[in-house]
Amino acid sequence: MYISAPVEICFDLSRSIDLHTKSVQHTREKAIKGVTSGLIGVNETVTWKAKHFGIWWKLTSKITELRRPDFFVDEMVKGTFKSFRHEHHFQKQGNETIMTDYFSFQSPLGLLGKAVNHLFLTQYMRRFLKKRNQFIKEVAESSAWKEIL
């Protein structure tokens, strides 16, 4: 995704707990443990509670790698998934930032989990990330980022 904003702003908005909460209001997602506001940093964790598919879920993720303003990685340490890794990459190109996500996950329950991924979960997660990234873009390209950072 191309964003007309400095790479440092895009990077920090992407690791803002407050921005994340605003960007996913439709799931009533809320940080309930660990870093619950501000910017999350390397080796810090956050536990999220959110409603997906009509069910409340909890997921704890940890920032396992961070090199500002180029990239950071969050990985699930506790939650419903068998595994979950989300890489956030940022590249300056002229006056814009290229923001790229690499997201991988495995569902539990073996073949049943693979079927769920194929039937709807992978597409659901893509839409979730696109919606969140569009929100980051809108905030970064306006003066609204000043209220968050």
Side-chain angles (χ1 to χ4, degrees):
M1 172 175 283
Y2 286 84
I3 303 174
S4 295
V7 68
E8 295 83 5
I9 289 172
C10 298
F11 181 87
D12 286 344
L13 286 173
S14 294
R15 61 192 186 101
S16 167
I17 301 297
D18 305 308
L19 179 128
H20 182 86
T21 302
K22 289 179 183 183
S23 73
V24 294
Q25 287 180 349
H26 63 286
T27 66
R28 297 189 276 181
E29 192 158 342
K30 185 174 163 181
I32 59 169
K33 188 175 177 188
V35 179
T36 58
S37 66
L39 301 180
I40 193 164
V42 70
N43 294 322
E44 293 182 321
T45 63
V46 58
T47 299
W48 297 101
K49 181 179 179 183
K51 197 168 201 175
H52 297 276
F53 310 112
I55 301 169
W56 285 102
W57 304 89
K58 287 184 185 175
L59 181 135
T60 302
S61 64
K62 179 179 182 178
I63 304 299
T64 57
E65 300 176 53
L66 186 146
R67 188 174 67 228
R68 186 177 193 272
D70 302 317
F71 79 96
F72 70 95
V73 177
D74 63 276
E75 297 185 73
M76 182 192 78
V77 293
K78 185 177 180 184
T80 305
F81 292 98
K82 184 176 179 182
S83 67
F84 176 110
R85 179 179 169 92
H86 186 183
E87 297 181 18
H88 309 254
H89 293 262
F90 306 85
Q91 182 181 358
K92 181 179 179 174
Q93 186 173 38
N95 293 330
E96 292 190 317
T97 298
I98 302 171
M99 184 172 73
T100 307
D101 286 311
Y102 297 98
F103 182 73
S104 60
F105 68 93
Q106 288 185 331
S107 295
L109 307 176
L111 290 176
L112 178 60
K114 287 181 181 182
V116 167
N117 289 353
H118 179 72
L119 291 173
F120 66 89
L121 190 56
T122 298
Q123 197 59 25
Y124 178 84
M125 295 303 288
R126 282 186 184 140
R127 281 192 310 270
F128 183 84
L129 288 176
K130 283 182 181 180
K131 186 173 186 171
R132 180 180 178 276
N133 288 348
Q134 183 61 39
F135 190 85
I136 291 169
K137 176 181 174 67
E138 290 169 9
V139 170
E141 291 180 346
S142 71
S143 61
W145 67 268
K146 295 175 184 177
E147 299 171 20
I148 294 171
L149 299 181

